[in-house]
Amino acid sequence: MTPKKKQKLGELAPLYKFTINPYPDQQYSSCPSCGQRNGQRKLPLVIHVDPRQLISLNYTCRYCKKCDLLIAHKHKIEHILTEMFMSIDPDSIGNEYLIIGTLEKKAWRESMKQPKNQAEIFSQLHDFKMVLSEIRMTQPGWYGPGQQPPIMEPPVSNEWMSNKI
């Protein structure tokens, strides 16, 4: 997992390191960094969907307290986004998206009653301290001394695909 540099968007202090699990049938009960048992943390993730959609999604991530690492499941998020955009804007399905941070819980609750504009959302946004590249798993099996197990390629999303052909 290699860190990526990013620009600060939110006005609040950055929280959490963040990564994505791209494997639909694999869950992380232990941290990929330290091996300690993961917990869960439910918080509003702020997601930008091209061209100009900003979504706050109250989502349960895997969380390692020791590493301060949030792990979101890519296929579950894409399923929720697909369901959401079917009614809002079907043309946006399959567009690029970026999970940019977490929203204060109070601001998220208020936005459920009264939608907020981008400036209000960014004033209550916590960027991530660090965004790590997608998790990669090695192929299970027996390997001889000195052999490295190959990296499993994650499957392509079946749901979050553009309907435009």
Side-chain angles (χ1 to χ4, degrees), residues 107-121:
W108 176 78
R109 282 190 202 105
E110 290 171 0
S111 72
M112 296 303 289
K113 296 173 188 162
Q114 178 66 39
K116 301 196 176 298
N117 64 33
Q118 281 190 355
E120 292 172 316
I121 288 174

Side-chain angles (χ1 to χ4, degrees), residues 39-157:
Q40 294 181 344
R41 183 131 320 162
K42 186 165 189 162
L43 34 81
L45 296 177
V46 178
I47 304 171
H48 175 266
V49 180
D50 281 344
R52 283 185 269 205
Q53 296 281 353
L54 203 56
I55 303 292
S56 61
L57 176 66
N58 201 25
Y59 183 76
T60 303
C61 296
R62 293 307 228 165
Y63 178 66
C64 176
K65 189 181 244 183
K66 183 180 177 187
C67 297
D68 196 31
L69 176 67
L70 283 176
I71 303 171
H73 202 274
K74 180 179 180 179
H75 291 267
K76 289 180 182 177
I77 288 178
E78 289 180 353
H79 173 74
I80 294 168
L81 288 175
T82 301
E83 294 291 318
M84 189 182 296
F85 278 97
M86 289 288 228
S87 59
I88 300 172
D89 183 12
D91 289 339
S92 292
I93 295 174
N95 288 357
E96 292 289 319
Y97 67 91
L98 178 65
I99 302 170
I100 57 177
T102 62
L103 193 61
E104 280 290 309
K105 197 73 138 171
K106 182 180 177 187
W108 176 78
R109 282 190 202 105
E110 290 171 0
S111 72
M112 296 303 289
K113 296 173 188 162
Q114 178 66 39
K116 301 196 176 298
N117 64 33
Q118 281 190 355
E120 292 172 316
I121 288 174
F122 285 125
S123 72
Q124 296 297 311
L125 176 70
H126 293 277
D127 290 333
F128 295 118
K129 289 179 186 174
M130 187 183 302
V131 177
L132 305 172
S133 59
E134 284 186 344
I135 296 171
R136 290 293 183 257
M137 298 179 88
T138 57
Q139 188 74 38
W142 183 87
Y143 298 94
Q147 282 185 311
Q148 292 294 327
I151 303 293
M152 289 186 345
E153 282 301 314
V156 178
S157 175

